[in-house]
Amino acid sequence: MESNPRELLQMTARLFGLLNKNCCNIGEYEISTIQSHIMYEINRQHEPSMQQIADEIGMDITTFSRQIQTLTKKKLVKKTALPEDRRVYILQLTEEGQSVSSTIDKIMNDYLEDVFSHMNEFEKETVLRSIQLLNTSMLKSKMCCTPMG
Amino acid sequence: MESNPRELLQMTARLFGLLNKNCCNIGEYEISTIQSHIMYEINRQHEPSMQQIADEIGMDITTFSRQIQTLTKKKLVKKTALPEDRRVYILQLTEEGQSVSSTIDKIMNDYLEDVFSHMNEFEKETVLRSIQLLNTSMLKSKMCCTPMG
DNA sequence: ATAATTATTTGTAAAATGCAAGTATTAATT
DNA sequence: AATTAATACTTGCATTTTACAAATAATTAT
């Protein structure tokens, strides 16, 4: 196994299924990886606007707009005009969207639990703290999130 | 910051720019993230066939075939029929491809170096070993690489 | 009132995707 | 040896995704 930092993370990405276009089929819903990230972010933030989520994910706003269109058509996401500023639309998961999103969360965590079952408790804690440290350090980096400019 | 394992890795993916469609412009070449992964894998394996790389990346062989077409048109990848079995094509990076790939590698590692500059040496070592451990554990998992089936 | 700014949507064209069906080659079966 | 089956890869097509440019609609600044 490699120890070149880039190789390590490239591999993590692949092993974690991040390169897969399709995330999963939850009930009748076919969810792409991008869509799962969008729903995840909507859930995480408190009544975010379109722009906020698009920025957070680093997605072009026009592409994002259309992704939201498909998600609202599927009734997984709800768009509400903000009364104070009617240019802005607030995003929320519908109940169905909540349910789908938490099912994805559960499947992912089950997977990770299976992964962590190959470690002892100390290793698991170390790995989780390490990833956390990596994330905070990435956030500190001036190149964060678009390493390639 | 969160400590839910899925949230952690979701965030890592985003901070690492893995959700970005475009990887980078290297000289005259516009490289997508997928293309950088393809080139990376071709370089890593010894004279792999098309099918091998497609499987490794978890990409549909038909889409992969077309990606290879564009990469060969750009003269970044070379396809050679295998004499022993002429159904099979062996993939290699051209010199130009090698150069582009190692430039990407350098940029990524520079980014990671910047990230690691926010840690002390011990933390850095721990994080790298942790990611390595995570990767080997993921490989061991029966659900590896397609957690969502 | 008018201009400038911001948030979001649509037009359009290019690229990526994946299924089904095709070609070419090799391996297996009769 | 001839036919069939299997494998590696490519093409046809229809759908989806993408992002630039331009449009709309609402707000803020002048």
Side-chain angles (χ1 to χ4, degrees), chain A residues 102-115:
Chain A
S102 74
T103 303
I104 296 174
D105 203 58
K106 189 176 173 340
I107 294 174
M108 289 302 268
N109 278 320
D110 284 354
Y111 169 48
L112 286 165
E113 208 161 292
D114 187 79
V115 169

Side-chain angles (χ1 to χ4, degrees), chain B residues 75-140:
Chain B
K75 301 216 186 297
L76 294 171
V77 166
K78 198 166 45 178
K79 259 175 67 181
T80 329
L82 187 72
E84 305 92 283
D85 183 344
R86 284 170 44 229
R87 290 170 301 183
V88 176
Y89 284 91
I90 291 304
L91 299 174
Q92 284 174 285
L93 298 186
T94 63
E95 293 219 351
E96 197 65 12
Q98 291 265 3
S99 157
V100 166
S101 193
S102 74
T103 302
I104 295 173
D105 204 59
K106 187 173 173 344
I107 294 173
M108 289 303 268
N109 278 320
D110 284 354
Y111 168 49
L112 286 165
E113 207 161 292
D114 188 78
V115 169
F116 286 124
S117 76
H118 298 97
M119 305 178 196
N120 63 41
E121 194 58 31
F122 174 73
E123 288 174 322
K124 176 180 169 179
E125 287 306 317
T126 306
V127 167
L128 286 176
R129 257 185 297 106
S130 289
I131 297 171
Q132 210 152 2
L133 177 57
L134 184 65
N135 287 352
T136 52
S137 299
M138 278 181 166
L139 274 169
K140 282 181 196 154

